[in-house]
């Protein structure tokens, strides 16, 4: 397969993006990864560009399992965590499979009126706090004190 058939970009790059991508390809010799991997270039809002490599085996498995084209499979792998969380959120709101909603508490402050909590701006849907903690770890989100179960009083302090 031609190397150009294994390199994908999440959206149509503008002229500035093209310059950054060309520089990344030259600087990091991305073509060396193409014989056994697919390369995905994620152009984010603002100034950042991510370059990710996905092994052929994972992409081919996803293509076969979900009947996708190569670019679709790479994008699915890239967005896997978001997809899983969306499905779990739907199950949570539909009372299917006993999912719970957890919100990371990122800070606490003692006020005259009591303890004031600062929450992350997102929720995690999981069957238990261990699964929620693993999901946060997979997201590389480690700056939290504990998880709060929105529907219950469970709290786990992961800083100890």
């Amino acid at each position: 397969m031609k190397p150009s058939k294994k390199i994908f970009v999440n959206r149509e790059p503008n002229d500035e993006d093209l310059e950054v991508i060309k520089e990344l390809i030259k600087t990091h010799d991305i073509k060396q990864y193409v014989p056994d991997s697919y390369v995905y270039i994620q152009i984010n809002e603002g100034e950042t560009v991510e370059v990710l490599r996905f092994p052929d085996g994972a992409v081919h498995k996803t293509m076969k399992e979900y009947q996708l084209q190569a670019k679709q499979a790479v994008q699915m792998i890239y967005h896997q965590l978001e997809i899983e969380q969306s499905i779990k959120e739907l199950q949570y709101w539909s009372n299917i499979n006993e999912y719970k909603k957890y919100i990371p508490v990122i800070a606490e402050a003692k006020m005259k009126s009591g303890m004031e909590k600062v929450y992350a701006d997102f929720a995690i849907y999981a069957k238990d706090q261990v699964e929620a903690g693993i999901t946060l770890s997979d997201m590389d989100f480690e700056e939290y004190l504990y998880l709060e179960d929105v529907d219950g009083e469970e709290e786990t302090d992961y800083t100890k």
Side-chain angles (χ1 to χ4, degrees):
M1 181 180 282
K2 286 181 164 181
S4 62
K5 299 286 185 191
K6 293 181 79 176
I7 300 174
F8 303 114
V9 181
N10 68 314
R11 65 174 169 82
E12 193 65 39
N14 60 32
D15 291 339
E16 281 180 37
D17 296 332
L18 277 175
E19 291 303 316
V20 171
I21 291 168
K22 285 178 188 176
E23 187 63 31
L24 283 169
I25 289 173
K26 275 190 225 172
T27 306
H28 298 289
D29 193 19
I30 290 176
K31 290 183 182 179
Q32 73 176 328
Y33 300 112
V34 175
D36 62 351
S37 299
Y38 287 81
V39 174
Y40 185 63
I41 300 170
Q42 173 76 23
I43 303 169
N44 297 316
E45 295 291 323
E47 307 268 331
T48 62
V49 175
E50 291 179 83
V51 179
L52 301 118
R53 181 174 75 110
F54 298 101
D56 283 351
V59 175
H60 295 154
K61 179 181 176 189
T62 303
M63 288 170 63
K64 184 177 178 181
E65 187 172 342
Y66 296 102
Q67 299 177 1
L68 301 172
Q69 298 297 317
K71 182 176 181 178
Q72 294 169 321
V74 167
Q75 288 175 319
M76 183 171 181
I77 294 168
Y78 179 79
H79 293 286
Q80 182 101 24
L81 204 53
E82 290 173 56
I83 294 167
E84 288 174 359
Q85 280 297 298
S86 293
I87 292 168
K88 289 176 181 181
E89 179 181 9
L90 179 63
Q91 291 176 333
Y92 168 80
W93 290 109
S94 301
N95 293 317
I96 299 171
N97 289 334
E98 300 178 20
Y99 281 99
K100 295 179 182 179
K101 181 177 180 180
Y102 297 95
I103 299 179
V105 176
I106 55 176
E108 286 185 325
K110 189 170 185 172
M111 309 297 268
K112 288 181 182 179
S113 59
M115 290 299 283
E116 180 104 3
K117 297 177 185 178
V118 178
Y119 295 96
D121 60 354
F122 62 92
I124 297 295
Y125 298 90
K127 290 193 175 191
D128 56 37
Q129 287 193 349
V130 172
E131 181 182 329
I134 291 169
T135 300
L136 286 172
S137 179
D138 290 346
M139 295 169 58
D140 291 327
F141 186 82
E142 298 174 2
E143 301 298 318
Y144 65 100
L145 301 174
Y146 57 88
L147 291 167
E148 188 168 290
D149 181 349
V150 172
D151 301 315
E153 294 301 316
E154 278 183 66
E155 293 178 359
T156 301
D157 185 345
Y158 289 103
T159 60
K160 292 181 182 176

